[in-house]
Amino acid sequence: MQHQTVLSSKSEAELDGANVHLRSHTGEELRMRELRTGDDWTAIGIRHDLPDDLGRVWRTECVLKRGAAEGGQDLVRLRTQCIATTPGARLDTPRKPYLIKALLKNGWGARDHPFNVTDQPLWIENNDTGLALAKSVVLGEAAKWLPTVYVSATGVSSWFISQQEIEKLAYDLGGVAHVVVEPDRAFSFHLRDKTDGRNAYGGTVGLSVPGQGIVRQYYLGWQIADGKELAAAIVAAAVTLRSQMPAFGWDWTELQEQALRVQREREKDSLTEAEWNQLHQEQVDNLQDKVRELEQQLDATPAVSIGTDEAEFSTANLVHRIGPEVYRGEISDRLRFAAKTTLSPADQIGLDPRSKAILQRVVDRLPASPALEELSQDLNRATKDPKRVASELTTLLARHGYSEKSDNKHVRLEAKKGVQGLDSITLPKTPSENRGLKNLRKQIERTLGITKLGD
């Protein structure tokens, strides 16, 4: 590091040991600890503290544990922190350690089930193998160690994020999350059937957690205006998610605890009283470090505040407050439609210039959600075959706010609990002609209230 002061020619001799602690005149510290069991080492780690002139310490911890991953793979766990040492110090989020980039660049990324841990995106091919992989990502069955970012397609080899931005996204998330990219929309339709509609589609980007599947989805709307912002939001979300997932490796305090325990057992008959006291003090210091870390995690948890956080206007909060969406992005589309409708008679109703300016920006900045076009296309496909129209529409509408109530001569669908403003839909089992299918589709679109939303 350019500004490090802890390493010098005088410190070389001190580095040759199982327990190293170096400190420079600037307060910079480097600790190294090796854990040996038998004739070989089991784990080795470092903790580096670099103070700055703004009352902060930038801490980097790295522990390598042998055989901790599947197949006997060694596991490296890194953690970075920005710690306040003076009241009021502004804390920043540390960047991903360069060491991770260096490890991946040298091909030391291991295997995470079907994935190589790398900083390159995986471009899925449109075949059975690719479909099986995508399904396992959507359902949370693909990876174990890292989350997966799933980039869905808007067309053939087209996405809301450019290819260059996707490659940068994978580079930024190297060692933090896998990035897989869908080939085209036709692939998305097949995947939807395989996953009961749980997949991200139409350009939406999904964040999949091992054992859970896709838990968050990101798309263009009022909070995210373009592909660049979309990629930045995904990086922030993936980093946060990975930090909250269970850690299978050791952190620095765990390594300290294990090393001190082994040392105590190995040397219990040969230590002097002074050495016992020193060993005990090291254990106390390590426990205090652990307590401080837990306190910092509690302090970093944001307090709940109503009406004071921009996140209150997030899609998740609106859905929570207003109710479930018929399709992803519905609330955004209806707000856009309401703004556009209000602007039309703005002069006649005496709307003030500020309100007109705000509503116009809502119309300009909020594109129609990709899920709206997807729903329209699904309705079109579901009303092609008279013999299958009832079953196809029942399955489709079950994903969009409806449940089946009766099945006699007709299929009656009613809105699910919590979905307000939707009339019931009656589906004939045998529509008379193609014209009847077209009219049925238009009737459903009017009932769903989506006819004018995409204008």
Side-chain angles (χ1 to χ4, degrees), residues 136-147:
S136 66
V137 170
V138 171
L139 301 181
E141 300 170 352
K144 176 180 180 180
W145 305 99
L146 300 178

Side-chain angles (χ1 to χ4, degrees), residues 170-351:
Y171 179 79
D172 291 340
L173 291 177
V176 177
H178 309 293
V179 176
V180 299
V181 189
E182 190 174 80
D184 52 54
R185 286 289 296 279
F187 182 93
S188 181
F189 297 141
H190 293 306
L191 181 60
R192 180 195 60 189
D193 295 336
K194 295 283 187 180
T195 61
D196 295 327
R198 294 176 58 184
N199 60 308
Y201 56 84
T204 299
V205 180
L207 191 55
S208 176
V209 178
Q212 299 183 47
I214 292 180
V215 295
R216 294 289 302 275
Q217 301 197 34
Y218 299 83
Y219 49 88
L220 302 186
W222 60 63
Q223 291 183 302
I224 302 175
D226 53 36
K228 187 175 182 180
E229 289 185 11
L230 181 60
I234 294 163
V235 169
V239 170
T240 300
L241 176 62
R242 180 62 193 93
S243 67
Q244 296 171 350
M245 288 173 57
F248 297 95
W250 284 354
D251 62 9
W252 172 257
T253 54
E254 176 71 11
L255 174 61
Q256 286 277 82
E257 179 181 343
Q258 296 293 333
L260 291 171
R261 181 183 59 80
V262 170
Q263 182 182 355
R264 183 177 65 246
E265 292 296 322
R266 185 175 59 238
E267 302 177 2
K268 61 182 179 181
D269 296 329
S270 60
L271 293 177
T272 65
E273 183 178 355
E275 289 171 334
W276 267 110
N277 291 336
Q278 181 181 355
L279 184 61
H280 176 71
Q281 186 59 48
E282 288 183 27
Q283 291 175 310
V284 171
D285 292 343
N286 188 59
L287 289 174
Q288 290 177 340
D289 283 343
K290 191 67 175 179
V291 170
R292 280 192 291 269
E293 288 176 7
L294 294 173
E295 289 175 343
Q296 289 162 7
Q297 291 175 13
L298 289 174
D299 291 340
T301 303
V304 176
S305 57
I306 302 299
T308 60
D309 190 348
E310 290 184 0
E312 291 295 318
F313 197 58
S314 68
T315 302
N317 272 323
L318 285 176
V319 171
H320 177 72
R321 291 169 181 269
I322 296 174
E325 293 183 303
V326 171
Y327 62 87
R328 203 175 304 123
E330 179 197 7
I331 293 176
S332 173
D333 286 343
R334 296 200 188 279
L335 289 177
R336 179 177 178 270
F337 175 66
K340 191 172 182 179
T341 303
T342 305
L343 284 172
S344 181
D347 293 334
Q348 291 92 321
I349 64 177
L351 192 66

Side-chain angles (χ1 to χ4, degrees), residues 87-98:
R90 180 176 62 89
L91 300 182
D92 291 323
T93 301
R95 295 180 180 179
K96 185 174 66 175
Y98 178 78

Side-chain angles (χ1 to χ4, degrees), residues 390-411:
S391 61
E392 292 282 347
L393 284 174
T394 300
T395 301
L396 173 62
L397 293 174
R399 296 199 295 265
H400 297 285
Y402 280 89
S403 59
E404 184 177 353
K405 291 300 180 182
S406 63
D407 186 1
N408 296 317
K409 293 182 179 180
H410 298 84
V411 178

